[in-house]
Amino acid sequence: MPSLATGIQRLKPSVFATLSERMKSLPAAPLPLHIGDTFHLPPPEARLENLELEKHPEFYRYAHPFGQPALLSAIQAKLARENRLEVPNDALQITCGATQALHCTVLSLFDPGQTVTFLAPYWPLFGGMCRSAGLEVQELPVTDRLYRGEIVDFAQFLRSRIAPGARGLYFCNPNNPDGYVYTRAELEAIATVAQEMDLWVISDEVYEHYIYDVEHTSIASLPGMAGRCLTSFSFSKSYAMAGHRLGYLTGPLAVMGAARRAANHTVYNVSPSLQFAGLKALELSPQFVKRVARDYRQSRDILYDVLSGYAEKPPAGGYLFLRLKDEKTAWDLIWAALDKGVALAPGAAFGDDYAHCIRVCFTSAPPEDIARAADVLRSLLA
Ligand code: PLP
């Protein structure tokens, strides 16, 4: 047999695969606190059963590869209103989740052998996208240190550690897995260093609506940054539509021309009926997003009450990121929790420095189930 591509051989099997065998042997499905999903359904008016899709025979055809015009306009207005981003219509691409949005950045910006610096811990799929494209990933542990107040001069910290010659900087704001939200001053530090080192900045903002205690700022809205920032957003988290695989990318016009070609040559177009669902959700956005965030905040508090000795209190996002003594202690807890019906995510997925950590999702089950999981974890940690 001929050999596989070099890039694909750089993709490691998901660490979740380790859990799946044991899960199969459990008498009942565990509470899925290892994944990053939600128990909520989309707003009723945006659910497929209420959309009268039969009135749109055109949805069975190929659609425009950039996205449906009505959805593009609604997103343009949302970006201006909520993110302070004035984006021309040509600088938007509807994608198959933020996942494809981020993949378009890899295809558009980087060549094999180049380095992208990730502020860690980080969302693992982007690491896989970069590695399979032949890029080098530099992991820079940051948000755990920012939480602990260990970094005094953030710009100097970045300047002295980002690999010389790096081409891009990826970070997630709010962060997955630890819910960190960068302050405006920290974003300004990133902006300063990105300008000095001439870096592309990839800002992953899929958790922009899971905000509990702080303000969220899109780095592309800072002076001078619109020309070097690519920002990914998602309907998965904001409107409880992860299965629809709907997201979008925005950035400088010249890059977006390339990203649109990348999208066109990979997925061609995202399902128009699902874009229609996304449009309905966006129209209802403010009330829905606020209500859902209230639930998540309640669940965060339930879980944090029990786990405050092990994690920072995340001001945003969907997870607590626990620090255990070492990797073995972390795995012991993962297996013991699984035997008691609670699935947790191993920290090693989120960067080389985090094998002693565990990510616990508090949005993938209702608050009463989160309370049950909190009791299990309390008894196991006692
Ligand atoms: N970025 C981060 C940080 C995520 O956590 C996820 C999904 O969990 C994604 C991107 C992908 O989002 P989507 O479902 O829109 O592809």
Side-chain angles (χ1 to χ4, degrees):
M1 189 172 86
S3 61
L4 298 179
T6 316
I8 205 71
Q9 296 184 58
R10 298 181 81 198
L11 288 183
K12 294 187 222 142
S14 148
V15 281
F16 297 123
T18 326
L19 300 180
S20 59
E21 274 311 301
R22 183 99 149 231
M23 280 191 200
K24 281 187 214 148
S25 66
L26 296 174
L31 283 177
L33 310 195
H34 61 310
I35 50 164
D37 212 336
T38 176
F39 68 96
H40 276 284
L41 287 174
E45 297 83 343
R47 291 184 203 155
L48 291 181
E49 66 271 24
N50 297 327
L51 288 182
E52 303 186 316
L53 293 172
E54 66 282 3
K55 291 192 177 156
H56 297 276
E58 73 277 14
F59 287 173
Y60 288 102
R61 321 256 180 270
Y62 286 116
H64 199 289
F66 301 159
Q68 298 292 82
L71 182 59
L72 288 171
S73 301
I75 289 174
Q76 196 180 19
K78 174 264 176 189
L79 288 172
R81 191 175 62 238
E82 297 185 17
N83 306 91
R84 294 172 199 255
L85 299 178
E86 297 295 336
V87 171
N89 208 285
D90 304 355
L92 270 178
Q93 171 67 44
I94 308 292
T95 54
C96 188
T99 305
Q100 193 208 356
L102 291 163
H103 191 230
C104 287
T105 68
V106 175
L107 292 173
S108 306
L109 301 177
F110 306 117
D111 285 322
Q114 293 180 336
T115 298
V116 180
T117 302
F118 283 41
L119 302 191
Y122 61 89
W123 180 63
L125 262 65
F126 194 61
M129 290 178 211
C130 289
R131 291 190 182 94
S132 62
L135 306 180
E136 298 308 321
V137 169
Q138 180 199 13
E139 297 182 8
L140 191 53
V142 159
T143 51
D144 43 348
R145 295 184 192 182
L146 288 173
Y147 263 132
R148 295 197 292 267
E150 286 172 13
I151 303 176
V152 182
D153 182 342
F154 190 37
Q156 186 50 28
F157 175 90
L158 294 171
R159 212 177 267 128
S160 61
R161 285 172 176 78
I162 292 175
R167 292 281 311 215
L169 183 75
Y170 166 74
F171 70 104
C172 187
N173 184 27
N175 196 27
N176 173 4
D178 62 10
Y180 191 80
V181 178
Y182 292 82
T183 63
R184 195 178 170 90
E186 287 157 1
L187 295 174
E188 282 165 359
I190 294 174
T192 302
V193 176
Q195 283 161 9
E196 283 171 15
M197 299 182 78
D198 198 20
L199 301 170
W200 291 113
V201 172
I202 299 164
S203 180
D204 184 348
E205 301 186 13
V206 305
Y207 294 96
E208 61 173 336
H209 290 123
Y210 290 20
I211 298 280
Y212 317 119
D213 306 322
V214 286
E215 291 267 301
H216 169 256
T217 303
S218 290
I219 189 169
S221 70
L222 298 188
M225 288 307 282
R228 63 174 68 246
C229 282
L230 280 296
T231 313
S232 59
F233 297 96
S234 176
F235 286 76
S236 298
K237 314 291 173 188
S238 296
Y239 310 113
M241 291 183 162
H244 284 358
R245 314 304 306 117
L246 195 60
Y248 52 102
L249 179 70
T250 185
L253 208 50
V255 180
M256 288 308 298
R260 283 179 153 190
R261 288 196 295 283
N264 188 323
H265 286 262
T266 47
V267 167
Y268 189 71
N269 75 262
V270 174
S271 158
S273 45
L274 302 183
Q275 293 189 54
F276 187 55
L279 175 62
K280 290 287 165 204
L282 203 48
E283 286 168 359
L284 301 160
S285 140
Q287 307 89 298
F288 178 77
V289 163
K290 268 198 205 122
R291 180 169 62 77
V292 168
R294 261 201 309 274
D295 279 356
Y296 294 160
R297 185 191 172 127
Q298 184 192 348
S299 294
R300 179 211 50 187
D301 291 346
I302 293 170
L303 205 55
Y304 183 72
D305 260 1
V306 170
L307 298 171
S308 57
Y310 296 88
E312 311 298 337
K313 187 175 193 173
Y319 317 95
L320 255 67
F321 200 47
L322 314 184
R323 274 190 308 275
L324 283 297
K325 188 160 70 81
D326 52 29
E327 183 173 1
K328 179 176 177 315
T329 320
W331 275 106
D332 286 349
L333 182 61
I334 289 169
W335 295 133
L338 197 53
D339 287 341
K340 295 210 174 292
V342 179
L344 307 171
F350 307 97
D352 289 343
D353 281 18
Y354 303 98
H356 64 297
C357 297
I358 293 178
R359 190 190 72 175
V360 193
C361 178
F362 54 80
T363 62
S364 55
E368 56 276 20
D369 285 338
I370 297 298
R372 193 151 58 83
D375 284 341
V376 167
L377 294 173
R378 186 201 327 259
S379 70
L380 291 173
L381 287 164

